[in-house]
Amino acid sequence: MKKPDNAVIIIFGASGDLSKRKLLPALYRNFLAGSLPERFAVLGASRTVLTDGEFQNRVIESTGSANKKKTSDISATDNSTPELFARNCFYQTMNPDSAESFLQLSRRLEKICAECGLQANFLFYIALPPSQYMNIVENLAAAGLNNQRSGSRKIIIEKPFGRDLASARKLNSFVLSRFGEDQVYRIDHYLGKETVQNILALRFSNSIFEPLWNRHCIDHIEITGAESIGVGKRGGYYDSSGALRDMIQSHLMQVLAVVTMESPPHFNPSAVRTETAKVFNSLKPIPSDMVTAYSVRGQYRSAHVRGEEQAGYLEEEGIRPDSKTETYAAIKVCIENWRWSGVPVYIRTGKRLPVNVTEVVINFKKTPYHLFRDTLEGDIPSNQLIIRIQPDEGILLQFGLKTPGSGFRVHPAVMDFHYSQICSDCIPDAYERLLIDCLSGDNTLYARADAVEACWSFIDPVLSAWENDKAIPMYSYACGTWGPEQSSSLFLHPKTSWRFPCRNLGGDTCVL
């Protein structure tokens, strides 16, 4: 790939957790791989008082584990490499609420460009809480840092993009009054996952799948995003958000779009994002009096898991004792278009489930006539295509085969592929890909304003009903289980339910 133009990457909230755990390591791995511009600078900006040298030491510390990752371009055993990267890093102590601080930031950027021989191409990354988004955008515009006359100006905004439809519209309107849509990059790291992108390759580069990828051959689709952890130290944030907002509205709805979108006429940002927006605009609205038929919510309760006592949600730090925030959410989605009419999509997510796993299951329709029904114990299983997004990334196809020996006893068999078979350490972190795409001006994997609002339009009635209708139950489920058993009631057929995602429950990993 062509290297991006020279640029300065400004991280607001550079002393925070996201910068330390994700952004700086991702930039460093791109530096190791030779993907960053020939000339670049990273300017950390935060309230924390630091010198350039102190920030560079933090950069070296946060990139230590990334230095162990194998690359083909630079030896990961070169101990000087973190220091080489850190030489390009600078720091500006500033108050994000102060317009004067942004004038100082502008002057500092001019100085860095002059000293480092850089063009005035700036990428602003807001790694701060949503309450700061508008302040940052307003002050950047007031300082003229949104103006592209002297170079490109791009801004990355982390999710959540609002907490409901009204706030999302307000945020989009505010941001787009200061920046153009082509300058705004709404990041959802799920779209940066290599295995999510490979769904597009699986669908559109293999002729064996396209004739089957529709209502004629597919019975239903499952999307699971399970976490074995609880809320941890994020109790304050999570209790005001919940599973539906935190995971389904953003991450898993994006996966839904990739799985069900039409093939774009060209593989370019505009065409791809238009097709994903069409999916969201085709979602069948859920009436307020039908919310219980289309959704289930739950909270985890304390239980012994692998010999260890795990606290219930209401016992976690920062959680209100009377909280009605869901830690588990399951929802039935119907897409009203020619391809998917009559094919329900079931989406679930939850905390304190048995394992960490994200996967898509394509459940094909059963054969119209069960020729071997008399030789099979129980019901004949349907064919399934399982796309594992994380962990143990791969693809598994389940189909029926004759058991060796006399007679025609049919037994489920599988063919599986693991990405580790290609390379044991070659799946890049989502932020690595997304940061390079933004620097290159490619917003294919970033959310567009209309798509964000269309997602909220679908989710809003469910959220409103859950918050206002006291008759809607909040089911309890034990830590270490797959959530409330009532979630199976969402399925159309009584003998159909969620796929059990893992063979091995002996640890925290999930084997495909």
Side-chain angles (χ1 to χ4, degrees):
M1 293 177 61
K2 180 183 176 182
K3 286 198 173 193
D5 293 334
N6 298 345
V8 183
I9 303 155
I10 303 95
I11 302 176
F12 295 110
S15 61
D17 186 60
L18 177 63
S19 177
K20 178 181 179 180
R21 289 189 305 106
K22 294 293 184 180
L23 303 183
L24 291 172
L27 287 170
Y28 176 63
R29 284 190 289 265
N30 281 323
F31 173 72
L32 286 177
S35 303
L36 288 181
E38 290 293 343
R39 293 183 180 180
F40 72 93
V42 177
L43 177 61
S46 182
R47 295 178 188 268
T48 305
V49 178
L50 295 173
T51 65
D52 285 352
E54 289 170 335
F55 181 61
Q56 288 169 356
N57 288 335
R58 290 194 177 197
V59 170
I60 293 170
E61 179 183 354
S62 65
T63 56
S65 59
N67 192 43
K68 299 175 183 177
K69 184 166 182 169
K70 297 177 182 178
T71 67
S72 58
D73 298 308
I74 298 178
S75 170
T77 61
D78 184 353
N79 293 326
S80 68
T81 304
E83 285 75 15
L84 288 174
F85 173 73
R87 290 176 193 172
N88 297 280
C89 298
F90 307 89
Y91 189 82
Q92 178 80 11
T93 301
M94 63 177 294
N95 178 1
D97 299 325
S98 166
E100 176 60 31
S101 286
F102 283 79
L103 295 175
Q104 296 171 1
L105 175 67
S106 180
R107 292 191 287 270
R108 182 70 190 279
L109 288 170
E110 290 179 5
K111 182 178 179 182
I112 289 174
C113 288
E115 291 176 351
C116 300
L118 294 168
Q119 299 165 301
N121 298 321
F122 303 145
L123 165 56
F124 302 102
Y125 198 119
I126 306 180
L128 289 169
S131 59
Q132 293 291 329
Y133 292 172
M134 289 189 179
N135 286 341
I136 298 288
V137 170
E138 176 65 26
N139 287 324
L140 284 172
L145 290 170
N146 60 338
N147 194 309
Q148 299 198 93
R149 285 196 296 266
S150 59
S152 70
R153 304 287 189 272
K154 300 165 188 170
I155 183 168
I156 295 181
I157 301 176
E158 274 278 346
K159 86 165 188 76
F161 317 117
R163 60 176 283 105
D164 52 27
L165 179 58
S167 59
R169 283 176 172 167
K170 181 179 179 181
L171 178 60
N172 274 330
S173 176
F174 185 87
V175 172
L176 295 178
S177 69
R178 275 77 174 172
F179 288 83
E181 178 65 47
D182 63 328
Q183 296 176 269
V184 180
Y185 291 71
R186 301 169 191 83
I187 192 168
D188 187 325
H189 73 270
Y190 258 60
L191 284 179
K193 291 181 180 294
E194 191 73 19
T195 40
V196 172
Q197 298 163 45
N198 264 308
I199 296 175
L200 296 176
L202 177 74
R203 289 188 57 194
F204 300 130
S205 67
N206 297 288
S207 62
I208 62 172
F209 293 117
E210 176 54 28
L212 310 179
W213 215 267
N214 53 56
R215 69 186 189 280
H216 300 298
C217 299
I218 294 176
D219 182 77
H220 65 280
I221 298 171
E222 300 171 53
I223 300 175
T224 294
E227 296 180 281
S228 63
I229 61 171
V231 296
K233 296 181 179 180
R234 298 174 67 229
Y237 160 76
Y238 195 89
D239 205 40
S240 65
S241 176
L244 189 59
R245 282 190 178 96
D246 190 49
M247 281 292 291
I248 291 182
Q249 189 279 328
S250 54
H251 301 326
L252 301 185
M253 292 294 283
Q254 296 294 340
V255 173
L256 166 72
V258 172
V259 171
T260 61
M261 64 184 280
E262 296 293 330
S263 173
H266 308 285
F267 196 76
N268 61 44
S270 177
V272 172
R273 300 209 298 174
T274 293
E275 293 303 331
T276 58
K278 286 181 181 178
V279 172
F280 299 137
N281 283 307
S282 299
L283 300 181
K284 179 182 178 181
I286 299 176
S288 58
D289 60 346
M290 294 293 291
V291 166
T292 54
Y294 282 83
S295 66
V296 169
R297 61 177 177 168
Q299 271 185 4
Y300 63 80
R301 65 176 186 270
S302 62
H304 278 84
V305 181
R306 304 185 188 99
E308 178 183 335
E309 177 71 18
Q310 292 185 345
Y313 179 69
L314 297 180
E315 301 160 0
E316 299 276 20
E317 180 182 349
I319 304 302
R320 294 167 290 135
D322 60 346
S323 174
K324 297 300 181 183
T325 299
E326 78 285 352
T327 62
Y328 176 96
I331 190 167
K332 178 166 62 177
V333 179
C334 299
I335 304 172
E336 294 186 309
N337 62 21
W338 192 269
R339 180 185 292 267
W340 296 112
S341 178
V343 180
V345 182
Y346 302 96
I347 305 175
R348 64 174 170 173
T349 185
K351 297 281 190 182
R352 288 297 187 197
L353 301 187
V355 288
N356 296 310
V357 60
T358 303
E359 69 177 23
V360 177
V361 183
I362 308 298
N363 291 273
F364 292 95
K365 291 185 176 181
K366 294 183 179 181
T367 55
Y369 176 69
H370 302 323
L371 183 62
F372 305 109
R373 64 188 182 280
D374 295 333
T375 63
L376 185 73
E377 296 179 1
D379 197 21
I380 296 178
S382 63
N383 300 129
Q384 290 183 325
L385 180 68
I386 297 108
I387 305 168
R388 175 65 56 77
I389 295 172
Q390 64 179 19
D392 192 32
E393 295 86 352
I395 299 170
L396 181 148
L397 179 63
Q398 177 179 288
F399 50 93
L401 284 180
K402 176 185 174 296
T403 301
S406 61
F408 279 88
R409 186 176 296 277
V410 178
H411 181 78
V414 296
M415 287 195 307
D416 58 353
F417 159 78
H418 299 261
Y419 285 100
S420 59
Q421 295 170 351
I422 298 177
C423 176
S424 61
D425 196 19
C426 63
I427 299 178
D429 180 83
Y431 284 95
E432 293 178 49
R433 168 67 187 271
L434 292 172
L435 285 167
I436 291 300
D437 281 357
C438 184
L439 287 168
S440 302
D442 183 348
N443 54 16
T444 304
L445 301 176
Y446 288 85
R448 206 166 63 187
D450 58 339
V452 170
E453 293 180 15
C455 275
W456 278 119
S457 294
F458 175 73
I459 293 293
D460 242 17
V462 180
L463 284 170
S464 179
W466 283 3
E467 291 171 1
N468 300 312
D469 189 346
K470 295 182 179 179
I472 297 177
M474 173 72 76
Y475 297 107
S476 173
Y477 65 97
C479 292
T481 65
W482 282 105
E485 60 182 18
Q486 290 84 356
S487 66
S488 295
S489 67
L490 297 177
F491 287 80
L492 295 176
H493 308 296
K495 292 185 178 181
T496 306
S497 188
W498 302 99
R499 174 183 182 265
F500 189 66
C502 303
R503 298 178 189 167
N504 175 19
L505 295 181
D508 294 328
T509 57
C510 187
V511 180
L512 181 65

